[in-house]
Amino acid sequence: MAEQPQHSAGAEPDLYRDTWVRYLGYANEVGESFRALIPKTLVWATYGVATAYVTADAVDKGRKAAQKNTDGPDRAADVTVAVVDTFVWQALASVAIPGFTINRICAASLYLMGRVTCWPLPVRKWATTAVGLSAIPFIIKPIDRSVDFLLDSSLRKLYNTHDRNPDEARPA
């Protein structure tokens, strides 16, 4: 699905970016793909999983920012920037935008299959789920890059990042 970020030799892998845990951020896209087949409460539960992932990553990045700057005068600002940037980026790139996108892809495919095929409804629902699941790998990179652009053009201008490594705050 997503390209795994590269970390430097000897660096500890990021639990939320470099391991299987990263895929928890895509739980809601899977839920949206299955929306036609499963109860809505299960779809919403997948959003809970993805939101827990986003929150855990933001907390982790805040903790790491706090450890990096233990006594500095900008410690609180560094922690706040790390938490807010990670949370907003992940909420948009892992939950809100891809969830909406997959929802609309599935809704459109179910509608179109109903108009152009004579397949029975259960077959159309399964086909819609397959369309949704197969779309996930194709939407991730464009959404990630779009959210990078959006945040670089807006929120990230609000905090001073010229002294920071831009890859530190930016989720992979």
Side-chain angles (χ1 to χ4, degrees):
M1 281 190 205
E3 178 180 308
Q4 293 297 317
Q6 301 297 317
H7 51 275
S8 58
E12 180 180 323
D14 184 335
L15 175 65
Y16 297 95
R17 311 286 168 80
D18 301 327
T19 69
W20 64 269
V21 174
R22 175 70 179 112
Y23 296 107
L24 293 176
Y26 301 131
N28 63 305
E29 287 86 36
V30 174
E32 286 295 343
S33 295
F34 279 93
R35 182 180 283 272
L37 297 170
I38 63 175
K40 286 183 179 44
T41 54
L42 289 179
V43 175
W44 287 110
T46 66
Y47 276 87
V49 171
T51 301
Y53 163 80
V54 167
T55 303
D57 189 24
V59 168
D60 181 62
K61 298 308 175 279
R63 182 184 54 78
K64 287 178 180 176
Q67 289 173 345
K68 201 180 272 192
N69 185 356
T70 57
D71 294 328
D74 295 333
R75 182 175 193 239
D78 289 347
V79 170
T80 301
V81 165
V83 169
V84 169
D85 191 77
T86 302
F87 188 85
V88 171
W89 192 94
Q90 288 282 17
L92 290 171
S94 296
V95 181
I97 296 171
F100 176 79
T101 303
I102 295 297
N103 177 284
R104 296 296 79 205
I105 288 170
C106 289
S109 69
L110 186 61
Y111 173 79
L112 288 173
M113 280 187 254
R115 305 285 278 169
V116 300
T117 71
C118 54
W119 296 346
L121 182 60
V123 172
R124 292 193 317 260
K125 286 182 176 183
W126 277 104
T128 294
T129 298
V131 167
L133 290 172
S134 65
I136 294 170
F138 296 102
I139 68 168
I140 299 303
K141 281 276 190 201
I143 289 172
D144 287 356
R145 297 306 138 236
S146 298
V147 172
D148 279 336
F149 178 78
L150 174 67
L151 291 185
D152 287 346
S153 302
S154 60
L155 182 64
R156 290 179 179 149
K157 288 185 176 189
L158 297 177
Y159 41 81
N160 185 6
T161 59
H162 70 275
D163 294 332
R164 292 187 178 91
N165 176 354
D167 292 330
E168 285 179 11
R170 179 172 296 137

